[in-house]
Each structure stands twice: as structure tokens, then as C-alpha cells.
């Protein structure tokens, strides 16, 4: 799984039919409908403006994320893909993923997305238990989600789905049973996220009021261990802290982020990392959809952040992203970015605690014991 010279394009569609109480993604509900034609023109303009800064790239991956990109008309997706192909070369084996919510209405659009060029879908199933789906504020039942997975299976070469675990009151036995059912429905890839209480969400308020009994660290660890074991036994080992795939079936777009490659972020609240003039720039666009639209219409782009990253910043980001991967990082790339090697004493100490290890080919990776405390491991190494 090589991502050398990989270049990814991320497209953010910031709208949802309703807001899930746990979610803090840049997603908005608009009752009056969305003027997709206007958005298409703005996406095309931002793609053109970005391509003018980084011309000549070959696009290896494209990812429509959200929000809920499966609310877009297939013609909107097709027009955005056309704009990308107009300004950059698109690799013959390009991976084009679209995030979809698994409702029956959205599944009716899958064939149109396939015709537009999408060759991979990622479905937000979240749970296979109707009571839990209700608690999570989802608009679909478990059966509807499984039906959408079946439709995806018939149309796309590749599909993945997401589940959220370590939920309030979830026992290891219940999660094992749910995960085994999910593995029976999975093809090559599953994303399994532990529920995170994000600040300023309705779940954060419930949590603060003592109304969400979240698993303690020991239980969360047990749930994580059984997730790794079950997925590996089913032939989908973890290649990243929350992502599991048959070897070779990893999400190539997300690998661009984790291997610290180059990517453009298009649309409201999208982030990019662009290689310009021998340096690396961090970009971000206006988050609010209507404000982004007006900015693009008047300036030709929605960018509000455009900063050169220092060597230390790049090295820290490289560490933060790369240590999420089972393959770990190449310490020499860290040294090349930072202008100095990683601190050997810190490595020895973290390895002594069993949190990291060096592989036979000299890569540094986090161990199973280290993953639950990944943030602390990264903070220690980066300091
Ligand atoms: C951009 S979101 C969702 C895509 C799509 N709108 C959906 O909901 O199906 C990507 C994934 O992040 C996960 N996610 C979002 N908020 C989360 C949270 N607070 N804790 C854990 N996982 C979360 C969900 O599994 C979700 O499918
Ligand atoms: S989880 Fe998905 S559907 Fe729910 S609010 Fe977030 S982006 Fe929208």
C-alpha cells in the first residue's frame, strides 16, 4: 500500500437532514432546500483556484465527505468530478469515495453516483440495534441500513461502513454479537469508532447531567481489544486505530492524510496541506456554508487560513498522523522534516513501557497497549 506522490482531493458537503446529537462535524440542516447549481459553480471555482496554486498534479483519490454527501444529486457529483478532471490529471485507477447515510431514499441515488464515477461508498450504519439508532438520533432503522449495504454491494466495487461502539451501557457480549453480525455484512473494510463526547453537542450536555453512562477506561480497553481480535480473525486487521481492512483494501484517501501526503480541501470548512515552493502550507476554508458561498462568489475561493508550516510543525503533524497507522512511521522522514532525529531517550522509555516498538525494517510503531493512550505517546515523542 504505497501512497508515495499520492495527491488527494477532499470535497465537503456540509448539509444533513437532521443533526445527530453526538456529532460535531461541520454539518447543517437547511429547511428551505439547497441551491445545488449555485454550490456546483462555487465548488468548480474553488477547484480552479486551488489548481492554479498547485498545477500539474495527478489526482489519486477523491473523497466526498460531510455532512451527508448522499443528499447531493448525482449530477452535482458528476459536475464536481468534471471540474477536478478539467484542472488536474485524474489517475486511471483513481479511488472516488462518497460518504452515504443508509436510508432507502439515499440508496436510490447509488446507481447515479456510480455512473458519475464514484467507485467506493462509506455508509454510516452506526449500529445494528434500532433502540440505539434512535438514541443516536439516526433517521434509519438497522434493517434499512442493511438494505442500503446490500444495494451498495450490488453497485460499487468497494464499500465500507461505520459503526460507533463503546456506547452508554454497552457490554462486551452485546458488542461482540453486533460486531460479528457486521463482519458478516462487511466486504473489505470497516470503520469502528469509539463514541466520543464532543464539546457543545447535545450528548455533551446529557453527559454533564450524568445521563450518559460512558464506559470506564478498563471497559473501553476490553471493547477495543475484542474489536481488534474479531476483525483480525475475520481477515480485516486494523491498519489504523479505528479502521480495519483486508490487506490492500485500505481507504487510499485516508492513507494520504495518515502518511502525511498532499491533499486539497474544497468546500465549506475543508482543510488542505499543499506542497508549494519546497514548503508545506496548511489551508482551511470558511465553515459556514452560506458565508463560504458568498466568499467564493466574490473572491474565487473560500480560503480563510493559508499558513506556511514550520519544520517542527510539519514533523509534529507527521508524527500525529503516522502513529495512528499499524505500519507506523519512518523515523528518517521525521528527522528530514524536523532537521533532527527523534529523542532516543524518549523512545527507549516509551518502548520500556510497552507503548511503542521498532520493527525489523526500522519503522517506529505504536503497540496494542499504546493505542489506547496514543495522544500521550505522541505528545511525549513530539515534545
Ligand atoms: C462525517 S461522519 C458521517 C457521515 C454520514 N453523515 C453519516 O452520519 O452516516 C463520519 C463518521 O464519524 C463517526 N462519528 C461522528 N461523530 C462521532 C462521535 N462523536 N463519536 C464517534 N464517532 C463519531 C460516525 O461513525 C460517522 O459515520
Ligand atoms: S453523523 Fe452524519 S448525519 Fe449525523 S449530523 Fe453528523 S454528519 Fe450529519
Amino acid at each position: 500500500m504505497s501512497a508515495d506522490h499520492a495527491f488527494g482531493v477532499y470535497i465537503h458537503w456540509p448539509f444533513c437532514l437532521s443533526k445527530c446529537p453526538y456529532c460535531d462535524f461541520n454539518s447543517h440542516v437547511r429547511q428551505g432546500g439547497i441551491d445545488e447549481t449555485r454550490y456546483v459553480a462555487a465548488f468548480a471555482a474553488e477547484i480552479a483556484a486551488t489548481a492554479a496554486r498547485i498545477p500539474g498534479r495527478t489526482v489519486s483519490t477523491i473523497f466526498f465527505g460531510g455532512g451527508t454527501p448522499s443528499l447531493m444529486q448525482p449530477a452535482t457529483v458528476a459536475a464536481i468530478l468534471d471540474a477536478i478532471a478539467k484542472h488536474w490529471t485524474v489517475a486511471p485507477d483513481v479511488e472516488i469515495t462518497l460518504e452515504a447515510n443508509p436510508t432507502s431514499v439515499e440508496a436510490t441515488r447509488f446507481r447515479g453516483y456510480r455512473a458519475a464515477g464514484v467507485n467506493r461508498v462509506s455508509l454510516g450504519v452506526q449500529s445494528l440495534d434500532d433502540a440505539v439508532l434512535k438514541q443516536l438520533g439516526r433517521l434509519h432503522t438497522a434493517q434499512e441500513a442493511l438494505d442500503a449495504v446490500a444495494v451498495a454491494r450490488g453497485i460499487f466495487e468497494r464499500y465500507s461502513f461505520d459503526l460507533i461502539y463503546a456506547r452508554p451501557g454497552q457490554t462486551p457480549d452485546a458488542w461482540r454479537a453486533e460486531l460479528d453480525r457486521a463482519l458478516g455484512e462487511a466486504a473489505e473494510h470497516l470503520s469502528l469508532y469509539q463514541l466520543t463526547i464532543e464539546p457543545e453537542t447535545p450528548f455533551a450536555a446529557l453527559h454533564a447531567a450524568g445521563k450518559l453512562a460512558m464506559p470506564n477506561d478498563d471497559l473501553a480497553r476490553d471493547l477495543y481489544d475484542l474489536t481488534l481480535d474479531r476483525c483480525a480473525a475475520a481477515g480485516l486487521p486494523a491498519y489504523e486505530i479505528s479502521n480495519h481492512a483486508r490487506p490492500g483494501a485500505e481507504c487510499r484517501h485516508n492513507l494520504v492524510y495518515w502518511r502525511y501526503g498532499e491533499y486539497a480541501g474544497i468546500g465549506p470548512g475543508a482543510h488542505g496541506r499543499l506542497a508549494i515552493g519546497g514548503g508545506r502550507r496548511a489551508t482551511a476554508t470558511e465553515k459556514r456554508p452560506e458565508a463560504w458561498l458568498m466568499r467564493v462568489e466574490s473572491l474565487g475561493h473560500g480560503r480563510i487560513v493559508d499558513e506556511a508550516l514550520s519544520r517542527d510543525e510539519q514533523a509534529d503533524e507527521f508524527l500525529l498522523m503516522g502513529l495512528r497507522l499499524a505500519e507506523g512511521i519512518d523515523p528518517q522522514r521525521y528527522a528530514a522534516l524536523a532537521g533532527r532525529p527523534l529523542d532516543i531517550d524518549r523512545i527507549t522509555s516509551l518502548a520500556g513501557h510497552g507503548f511503542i516498538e521498532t520493527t525489523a525494517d526500522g519503522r517506529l510503531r505504536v503497540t496494542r497497549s499504546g493505542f489506547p493512550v496514543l495522544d500521550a505517546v505522541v505528545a511525549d515523542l513530539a515534545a
Side-chain angles (χ1 to χ4, degrees), residues 237-268:
Y239 67 98
E240 190 262 354
I241 187 162
S242 307
N243 283 277
H244 307 259
R246 285 193 208 297
E250 299 84 5
C251 173
R252 283 167 49 209
H253 184 82
N254 286 338
L255 283 178
V256 173
Y257 302 148
W258 297 321
R259 288 179 176 162
Y260 208 43
E262 183 179 34
Y263 55 95
I266 310 288

Side-chain angles (χ1 to χ4, degrees), residues 326-327 329 357-365:
E327 68 182 19
I329 58 142
E357 63 190 9
T358 302
T359 64
D361 56 356
R363 296 181 71 86
L364 191 69
R365 70 179 179 207

Side-chain angles (χ1 to χ4, degrees), residues 279-297:
R280 191 167 167 94
R281 301 190 76 83
T283 66
T285 51
E286 164 63 49
K287 278 181 82 170
R288 295 163 300 159
E290 292 76 13
W292 172 82
L293 198 55
M294 288 193 291
R295 206 175 166 86
V296 179
E297 286 173 349

Side-chain angles (χ1 to χ4, degrees), residues 10 12-13 15-16 18 20-27 63-70 99-102 106 122-126 136 138 140 161-165 191-198 201 203 214:
Y10 176 77
H12 191 77
W13 187 255
F15 303 111
C16 292
S18 67
C20 305
Y22 54 86
C23 176
D24 79 338
F25 282 83
N26 184 29
S27 62
F63 194 102
F64 290 87
T68 306
S70 53
E99 271 183 350
N101 282 29
E106 289 165 288
S122 172
L123 295 144
V125 170
Q126 319 306 3
L136 292 176
R138 302 296 292 182
H140 53 86
F161 58 89
D162 301 351
L163 294 177
I164 296 180
Y165 72 103
S191 300
L192 304 168
Y193 300 109
Q194 297 206 1
L195 177 63
T196 311
I197 301 299
E198 301 291 354
T201 57
F203 264 29
M214 294 296 288

